[in-house]
Amino acid sequence: MKIGIIDAGNIGGNLTRRLTALGHDVFVANSRGPETLTALAEETGATPVRAEEAARGAEVVVVTVPFKAVPDLPAGLLDRAAENVAVIDTGNYYPRERDGRIAAIEDDGLTESAWTAQHIGHTVIKAFNGTYAQDILDRHRPADAPDRTALPVAGDDEAAKRVVRDLIDQLGFDTVDTGTLADSWRQQPGTPVYGLREGVAGVTKALAAASPERPADFRG
């Protein structure tokens, strides 16, 4: 597939490494310009581009910018993406450490990924938000391996969710369906599944144990 990755930080960089290794055609962007991505491009074979070009023709787009940077993404980011593009949101809201207080989340009750979807004008699939970046390189396993890690995945578009779950399977991880974006609070920071390294049974149990009340450490 043609895949656009917007931001080449820890998650974006390691997804670039693994997805190119799997044979996908990856276009990667960051906020500083493609000339700063030369080393990653040489390492992986990915094509460095500007953010506004990363989604052109892409069947999957990964938005992995810091949460506070979502409103600064280029307008019409997905206008030239492939029809029925699946957009993965890996972001997390950290009001105290980085992002500042966002009223739509804290007062109006929007989930983090629903807020991101509003800003980019396209529904998203929440995935990888609780995944350690290094695990993308180190913890992938073949299907049916007894120690295969499972990742929670939430979203409203069932077809896009299936594309994303199939891609995660290719990457070497199982998935558990969290539900819709309205349910995606179950995998936000401070929940039992966040950062969990367990299989399907453990992830399913952790999702069921989540509370909709945002922990104090993750409130602005």
Side-chain angles (χ1 to χ4, degrees):
M1 288 191 295
K2 184 172 183 180
I3 299 174
I5 297 181
I6 302 173
D7 200 69
N10 293 333
I11 293 287
N14 285 351
L15 284 175
T16 298
R17 292 177 176 94
R18 289 284 293 126
L19 290 168
T20 52
L22 289 168
H24 295 287
D25 193 10
V26 177
F27 290 73
V28 61
N30 65 11
S31 61
R32 296 176 293 142
E35 63 278 2
T36 66
L37 295 169
T38 302
L40 182 63
E42 290 176 350
E43 175 191 348
T44 64
T47 302
V49 294
R50 298 191 181 281
E52 55 268 27
E53 299 168 348
R56 184 183 299 176
E59 298 157 85
V60 174
V61 172
V62 184
V63 176
T64 186
V65 299
F67 202 72
K68 67 178 181 180
V70 168
D72 299 325
L73 289 168
L77 177 68
L78 301 167
D79 287 353
R80 290 182 288 178
E83 188 176 2
N84 301 320
V85 60
V87 181
I88 300 174
D89 168 38
T90 76
N92 293 304
Y93 170 51
Y94 300 119
R96 297 189 180 190
E97 296 94 339
R98 183 189 63 197
D99 301 316
R101 191 178 192 279
I102 297 175
I105 292 173
E106 304 223 27
D107 300 335
D108 301 338
L110 272 186
T111 61
E112 296 171 8
S113 286
W115 182 86
T116 296
Q118 281 191 358
H119 277 282
I120 67 172
H122 194 284
T123 194
V124 301
I125 306 299
K126 189 176 189 72
F128 298 107
N129 71 293
T131 305
Y132 294 101
Q134 193 62 33
D135 287 358
I136 295 170
L137 300 183
D138 296 345
R139 292 182 68 90
H140 55 90
R141 299 288 187 271
D144 300 324
D147 60 342
R148 205 181 203 216
T149 303
L151 308 183
V153 178
D156 296 337
D157 183 331
E158 291 299 322
K161 191 188 291 184
R162 174 46 56 194
V163 169
V164 173
R165 295 182 73 180
D166 287 347
L167 188 64
I168 293 172
D169 180 59
Q170 289 180 39
L171 286 164
F173 301 89
D174 287 331
T175 57
V176 176
D177 191 340
T178 306
T180 67
L181 283 187
D183 301 314
S184 64
W185 56 266
R186 292 184 181 276
Q187 64 190 78
Q188 290 177 171
T191 60
V193 82
Y194 185 74
L196 186 67
R197 290 166 161 159
E198 290 196 19
V200 169
V203 168
T204 301
K205 181 178 179 180
L207 289 168
S211 167
E213 183 176 353
R214 183 174 293 277
D217 288 349
F218 295 98
R219 294 199 298 266

